[in-house]
Amino acid sequence: MIRCLAIDDEPLALQQLVTYIGKIPFLELAAQCQSALEARKFLEQETVDAIFCDINMPDLNGMDFIKSLQAPPLVVFTTAYSEYAVEGFKVNAVDYLLKPFGLQDFQRAANKIKEFMELKELRSYDNTSSSPKDDDTLFVKTEYRIVKITIADIRYIEGMSEYLKIYIEGESKPIITLLSMKKMEERLPEFFMRIHRSYIVNLTKIQEVNKNRIIMDADTYLPIGDNYKEAFQRYLDTKFLGK
């Protein structure tokens, strides 16, 4: 169960949050508060996994309240003012519900919280596993979903700023996920190699090497970066037959 805190200074709006939380099977209401100051006192004694918080409140608004927390839980902001949306996401809000919102909108936000919690648990498992590279699968988050990938099916990975494109055997479109190349490189087994600052390749999927390019298929040519040529050449030497 995901423990939730509901905060809103309007009694009817607070009751709506409480009612909706009660309708979601994986949510558990830990407390309801009519001010951020009341919520702060509660959090001094208790912990929660997620907060549904109104922004416009007297004394201390919801945005400043979340910013004041040293380790804030997952947050969904609720407000009648759409101009707060961008600012809300700047403090890593999971979602933003514009009043008046219905159960379907609330369900969507709750699902996002659930997916973030599942991803956190997966990352915790990876960090505590004694031999993560022995596993033949990995999980990544994409478009609010967590998908399972068989590592051997990965053809190559392309880095794009803070995102990765993971190209899978037999799939027409890549999986896009928020992750660094370094983190992915650390997770992959020995038959993957970084060949460029923007590319990691599955060495078993290479069809041809032509000068400074790796050919994966008729339509896919990957460059070999200057800083990676020596390491890749050493790999080729271990596999090369002939004079």
Side-chain angles (χ1 to χ4, degrees):
M1 297 289 285
I2 299 173
R3 282 170 50 83
C4 300
L5 176 61
I7 312 170
D8 201 307
D9 65 307
E10 299 177 7
L12 291 178
L14 181 59
Q15 185 56 49
Q16 182 191 44
L17 285 175
V18 171
T19 299
Y20 284 173
I21 288 172
K23 291 180 179 294
I24 308 299
F26 53 82
L27 296 185
E28 175 188 354
L29 180 66
Q32 52 181 302
C33 301
Q34 286 191 267
S35 72
L37 296 179
E38 182 184 349
R40 177 182 285 172
K41 290 181 181 179
F42 173 80
L43 292 176
E44 289 175 355
Q45 305 295 328
E46 302 282 346
T47 60
V48 297
D49 302 307
I51 296 177
F52 292 90
C53 183
D54 184 32
I55 293 178
N56 291 334
M57 292 187 291
D59 298 325
L60 178 63
N61 70 48
M63 196 76 66
D64 291 338
F65 165 63
I66 296 301
K67 289 179 180 178
S68 72
L69 299 177
Q70 289 188 346
L74 299 174
V75 178
V76 173
F77 282 119
T78 66
T79 184
Y81 300 93
S82 59
E83 61 265 27
Y84 285 112
V86 173
E87 188 177 356
F89 287 114
K90 285 182 180 178
V91 295
N92 295 322
V94 172
D95 205 352
Y96 176 95
L97 292 173
L98 184 63
K99 297 178 180 179
F101 54 86
L103 180 58
Q104 185 175 358
D105 295 324
F106 186 87
Q107 175 78 65
R108 184 197 70 234
N111 287 340
K112 289 182 182 180
I113 288 175
K114 184 173 183 287
E115 289 162 359
F116 270 88
M117 291 292 294
E118 289 171 345
L119 181 62
K120 182 179 179 180
E121 290 174 3
L122 287 171
R123 286 175 174 170
S124 176
Y125 171 79
D126 280 345
N127 290 337
T128 57
S129 175
S130 60
S131 56
K133 289 188 178 181
D134 292 339
D135 193 3
D136 63 353
T137 61
L138 54 82
F139 289 83
V140 298
K141 187 174 187 301
T142 178
E143 297 178 347
Y144 302 114
R145 297 180 298 122
I146 297 175
V147 297
K148 180 181 179 181
I149 299 174
T150 301
I151 293 176
D153 290 341
I154 298 174
R155 299 178 63 234
Y156 65 97
I157 298 163
E158 179 181 2
M160 302 167 46
S161 184
E162 298 178 345
Y163 291 83
L164 298 182
K165 284 185 175 181
I166 305 174
Y167 292 83
I168 308 295
E169 191 77 41
E171 299 291 336
S172 58
K173 294 183 179 179
I175 294 172
I176 300 176
T177 185
L178 178 61
L179 198 66
S180 69
M181 288 285 278
K182 184 177 185 298
K183 189 70 175 179
M184 177 60 80
E185 195 174 10
E186 291 173 351
R187 178 63 179 82
L188 293 172
E190 299 300 324
F191 57 87
F192 283 84
M193 179 177 286
R194 185 88 171 260
I195 60 162
H196 188 276
R197 64 184 180 86
S198 299
Y199 293 100
I200 298 173
V201 65
N202 183 338
L203 297 170
T204 68
K205 304 292 185 182
I206 296 175
Q207 291 190 2
E208 185 178 332
V209 179
N210 189 336
K211 296 182 179 178
N212 292 326
R213 297 186 305 176
I214 288 175
I215 301 174
M216 305 299 292
D217 55 48
D219 300 315
T220 308
Y221 298 76
L222 306 181
I224 303 172
D226 291 340
N227 294 333
Y228 303 89
K229 286 179 181 178
E230 184 177 345
F232 184 70
Q233 185 60 52
R234 286 199 299 269
Y235 164 75
L236 285 183
D237 290 343
T238 65
K239 301 294 183 180
F240 188 72
L241 294 178
K243 296 181 180 180

